[in-house]
Amino acid sequence: MLLVIYASLYPFAGWTDTGVSPFAFLTAPLPRYNTGFDLMTNVWGYMPLGMLTVLAVHPRITGWRAVLLALLAGLLLSGAMEAIQTYLPTRISSNVDLATNTIGALLGGIVMAPFAGRLIDRGGLRRVRKHWFEPHATFAILLLLLWPFAQTFPQEFLFSMGGVVRSMLLDPSPDAFLTGVIHNWFPDLFDWHDQLQAHPEALQRQELLEALITACSWVGTALLATVTMRRGAPMLPLLAALLTSTLLLKAGATLLQFPLAGAWDWLSSGARFGLVVGSLVLVLLVRLPRWLRGGLAMTLLIALIVLSNVLPPSPYSWVSAQAWRLGRFVHFNSLSQWIGWLWPFLGLGYLVWRAEQTHLQRRAGRQAR
C-alpha cells in the first residue's frame, strides 16, 4: 500500500485546488489516449495488493470472500488515489485507471486464493526459512529481497550503491541544507572531488573501476547472505538464484524504461569482468568460517561506499542523468535510487549488530563455564 501511495502521489508537491470535485473523474469521458503499457502497469501494480490481502486475512477469511475483500481493497485504495490526484497538476485522475487497478487487485486475489492454505497452514516457506536460515536472519532476508529492486535504478556503474554523498557533491545547490553543512566543514572537498573527474582517454581505467565496484558490491552482498544461512543450506544455488533474478529484473526494467535501447546495454565489459571474477572468488570464500565471512562482508561494503562516493561519474556510462529521468518508471526510480543509497549502510548495521550479538553470546558462555 505504501508503494502504491508513493507511486500515485509522487512527487508530493504542487498541490492546487482547481475547483474540480475530486470525484469528477468517475463520470468523466474516457481518456483519449491510453497505451497498452499504461494499462498493463495499472493491472500489475495492484496484483500484489490483491495477493497480499488474501494472505493477510487467512485463515479468518478464505475462498471467494477473501477475493472479494481483495477487490474491495483495490477499489477503495485506487479510488482514494485518483481522487487525491485531482489536486496534483502533474497527475491525471482517470476512471480507466480505477478500473484497471481494481481488476489487478481482483486478479491477484484469484491467483493467490488457492495457495493461501499451502503457504500459511502447511508452512512450506516457514520450513525453508527454518532449515536454511538462522533465527536472527529476518532483517537480512528483507534486505536481500530489496537488493534486486535497488538495481533497477539506471546506474552508471553496475551494482553501485551508497553514493548519497557524491550525489550531493555533484549537485551543490545553495539551498540544500546538508550540502551547505558539508561545504562549511570541508570547504576543499568539492574542489578535490572535481579534480577526480575522468578524462576521455581513461576508458580502460573506467572499466577497471567499474569491475572493482561491481565485484565489491556483489561479493559483499553475497557474503552478508551467507552469514545468515545455516551450515546445511545450499549457499551457492541460493546466491546464483539471487544474482540471476537481479540481472533479469534489471534487464526487464531497462527494456521497459528505454525501449529503443538494448535490455543488456548496461552490462559493460567492466561489469562482466567484475561479475565473473567476483563469482569465482565467492566460490572459495563461502568455505571460510562465518565470523571471517562477516568481517570480509563489512570490509567490502565499506569499500563499496567509499568508491561510490569518491569516484566521479563515468563519461562512458550507458545512460545519462537526463535519460533515466525520462524513463517510464520515473516515479519508482527515485525510490529505487534511495534504496540503493541506503542499502550498504543498512547491511553494515546488520553485520555490526550480528557481530555484537555473537560476542555477547560467547562471553555469556565463558561466564557460564
Side-chain angles (χ1 to χ4, degrees):
M1 288 181 66
L2 291 176
L3 284 175
V4 168
I5 293 173
Y6 176 90
S8 301
L9 304 182
Y10 182 87
F12 304 96
W15 302 92
T16 304
D17 186 0
T18 60
V20 178
S21 170
F23 300 102
F25 71 94
L26 293 173
T27 57
L30 295 178
R32 184 172 300 179
Y33 302 103
N34 275 313
T35 65
F37 175 83
D38 293 333
L39 296 178
M40 292 304 300
T41 301
N42 289 334
V43 174
W44 291 340
Y46 272 71
M47 282 188 68
L49 176 67
M51 299 170 71
L52 293 174
T53 300
V54 170
L55 292 176
V57 300
H58 187 87
R60 297 193 176 203
I61 304 176
T62 59
W64 64 267
R65 293 183 300 169
V67 174
L68 289 180
L69 189 59
L71 169 67
L72 180 62
L75 177 64
L76 292 177
L77 181 60
S78 178
M81 293 299 99
E82 298 298 325
I84 297 175
Q85 284 179 356
T86 305
Y87 303 100
L88 284 172
T90 58
R91 310 306 297 266
I92 300 176
S93 302
S94 170
N95 44 22
V96 173
D97 290 350
L98 175 63
T100 50
N101 291 338
T102 306
I103 292 174
L106 174 63
L107 292 177
I110 293 175
V111 169
M112 184 54 66
F115 302 99
R118 185 181 306 174
L119 291 174
I120 297 179
D121 292 339
R122 290 180 286 280
L125 289 179
R126 189 164 52 219
R127 287 196 299 271
V128 169
R129 164 72 172 82
K130 181 178 179 181
H131 292 161
W132 289 354
F133 294 93
E134 298 287 347
H136 57 78
T138 301
F139 182 76
I141 291 174
L142 294 177
L143 281 180
L144 294 173
L145 292 176
L146 281 177
W147 191 71
F149 181 71
Q151 312 309 324
T152 60
F153 172 76
Q155 303 153 326
E156 294 175 340
F157 301 102
L158 181 62
F159 297 167
S160 175
M161 300 185 297
V164 61
V165 177
R166 192 191 75 167
S167 67
M168 292 189 296
L169 294 178
L170 295 179
D171 187 20
S173 54
D175 56 343
F177 174 75
L178 291 178
T179 304
V181 172
I182 294 176
H183 193 277
N184 291 332
W185 287 358
F186 309 100
D188 298 331
L189 185 58
F190 292 94
D191 295 335
W192 175 75
H193 193 273
D194 290 338
Q195 295 174 1
L196 291 175
Q197 297 299 311
H199 299 284
E201 65 272 11
L203 175 59
Q204 185 176 8
R205 185 182 69 175
Q206 289 294 324
E207 291 180 345
L208 292 176
L209 291 176
E210 182 171 13
L212 181 60
I213 289 181
T214 302
C216 286
S217 181
W218 163 231
V219 178
T221 301
L223 289 178
L224 183 150
T226 63
V227 170
T228 68
M229 297 180 189
R230 295 183 183 274
R231 182 170 300 180
M235 292 185 182
L236 291 179
L238 288 177
L239 295 178
L242 175 64
L243 179 61
T244 302
S245 60
T246 301
L247 296 178
L248 291 177
L249 179 62
K250 187 173 181 63
T254 301
L255 188 61
L256 289 175
Q257 295 189 83
F258 310 104
L260 299 180
W264 302 94
D265 284 356
W266 45 269
L267 195 58
S268 63
S269 57
R272 292 195 298 270
F273 182 76
L275 284 178
V276 172
V277 174
S279 299
L280 293 177
V281 173
L282 188 61
V283 174
L284 302 177
L285 295 181
V286 295
R287 303 176 183 275
L288 297 175
R290 188 190 304 271
W291 67 269
L292 187 53
R293 281 182 273 135
L296 288 175
M298 294 176 62
T299 303
L300 291 173
L301 290 181
I302 292 174
L304 170 64
I305 293 173
V306 172
L307 291 174
S308 297
N309 285 289
V310 170
L311 295 182
S314 170
Y316 311 101
S317 175
W318 72 280
V319 63
S320 66
Q322 291 76 19
W324 75 257
R325 295 181 187 276
L326 300 178
R328 289 177 167 181
F329 289 161
V330 63
H331 303 128
F332 280 113
N333 273 339
S334 180
L335 179 62
S336 176
Q337 183 183 35
W338 271 102
I339 294 176
W341 280 345
L342 298 177
W343 200 97
F345 298 97
L346 295 175
L348 273 176
Y350 170 80
L351 290 171
V352 171
W353 172 83
R354 182 55 192 158
E356 181 189 22
Q357 295 299 311
T358 302
H359 172 70
L360 293 177
Q361 291 173 2
R362 290 178 178 176
R363 188 172 65 177
R366 288 195 299 265
Q367 291 176 352
R369 288 194 298 268

